[in-house]
Amino acid sequence: MQALRPGEQDVLLVIDVQNDFCPGGSLPVPDGDRVVPLVNRLARQFAHVVFTQDWHTPHHTSFASSHAGKDPYQSTPLPYGEQVLWPDHCVQGTSGAAFHPDLDPNRAELVVRKGFRPGIDSYSAFFENDHATRTGLAGYLRDRGFRHAYLCGLAYDFCVKWSALDARREGFAATVIEDACRAIDLNGSAAAARAEMAAAGISLVQSARLAA
Ligand code: VGL
Ligand code: ZN
């Protein structure tokens, strides 16, 4: 397989490598912390890096605790569509919302915060979950002249998947670096995410494909 050599039109999107998504956090992604050394290495291989940070208000609508009688990981209809309800996580300014302490933030040229509107969730780095409200990232990437988004981080089957699908919809090439991701895997959502991304023309690769 030919090595991938990131250039000036390529950007690495590092999705939500935050304490609450790591073991010990409130919404732990199994082995979520294991991506950190690999993400740090990838961030040095790319000339351009953007981080995202899940950044919810207290009592956010995506929290099960905001809905009487609902438990985490159940889903419920909300005005913008069906929403999985989560444990309280990534509340603005808390240690759970901070990046993993071993993640090297210095390579990031931009940090996109998302999910900060109390009444709507935002899995994707590009759109909130209504698929209409923009985060501004697509415009930023276009203004910078980027053509190809490479994605890694947490969680593979939620924020990484939604971000990769939206990158394609916005006209960027998209590649997910799978071994630098970990999945929540609710009811087979990891395998479903893989199929959905492949069908959308997203390349799924291992980090070894990237030239050192
Ligand atoms: C995420 C669930 C809730 C993610 C964020 O980063 O994948 N998942 N909020
Ligand atoms: Zn969230």
Side-chain angles (χ1 to χ4, degrees):
M1 284 279 218
Q2 209 189 329
L4 301 169
R5 295 178 188 284
E8 280 303 308
Q9 297 189 330
D10 300 317
V11 61
L12 180 69
L13 302 184
V14 178
I15 307 295
D16 298 0
V17 182
Q18 294 167 257
N19 289 324
D20 271 342
F21 297 127
C22 292
S26 66
L27 203 176
V29 180
D31 290 333
D33 57 332
R34 299 272 294 272
V35 305
V36 172
L38 197 43
V39 170
N40 285 339
R41 199 177 82 210
L42 289 167
R44 291 191 297 269
Q45 291 175 277
F46 278 78
H48 304 291
V49 180
V50 169
F51 280 12
T52 70
Q53 191 171 26
D54 212 37
W55 196 247
H56 297 309
T57 49
H59 314 296
H60 191 262
T61 193
S62 71
F63 298 167
S65 61
S66 303
H67 303 267
K70 292 285 183 184
D71 290 322
Y73 306 104
Q74 288 184 327
S75 115
T76 196
L78 290 183
Y80 55 86
E82 196 67 17
Q83 168 78 48
V84 179
L85 298 174
W86 303 106
D88 290 25
H89 66 279
C90 297
V91 173
Q92 297 172 4
T94 63
S95 56
F99 291 118
H100 187 285
D102 297 332
L103 183 71
D104 175 8
N106 294 324
R107 303 276 314 144
E109 295 172 337
L110 175 75
V111 177
V112 179
R113 287 178 169 164
K114 61 187 182 62
F116 50 75
R117 290 189 177 81
I120 185 164
D121 205 2
S122 186
Y123 293 152
S124 165
F126 293 89
F127 286 94
E128 309 211 353
N129 286 13
D130 61 359
H131 301 289
T133 308
R134 291 175 173 273
T135 63
L137 180 60
Y140 173 86
L141 296 182
R142 276 194 279 270
D143 280 356
R144 297 277 322 267
F146 298 132
R147 307 282 298 271
H148 193 148
Y150 288 75
L151 296 96
C152 60
L154 308 173
Y156 177 79
D157 41 348
F158 286 89
C159 291
V160 173
K161 178 192 87 168
W162 285 51
S163 298
L165 291 171
D166 282 343
R168 287 291 302 134
R169 286 188 193 110
E170 287 295 308
F172 300 97
T175 297
V176 172
I177 305 167
E178 289 195 307
D179 53 330
C181 301
R182 290 294 184 279
I184 296 173
D185 206 10
L186 279 184
N187 310 313
S189 56
R194 191 160 211 276
E196 207 180 328
M197 290 194 284
I202 294 161
S203 302
L204 305 171
V205 305
Q206 303 298 309
S207 59
R209 279 288 299 285
L210 285 135

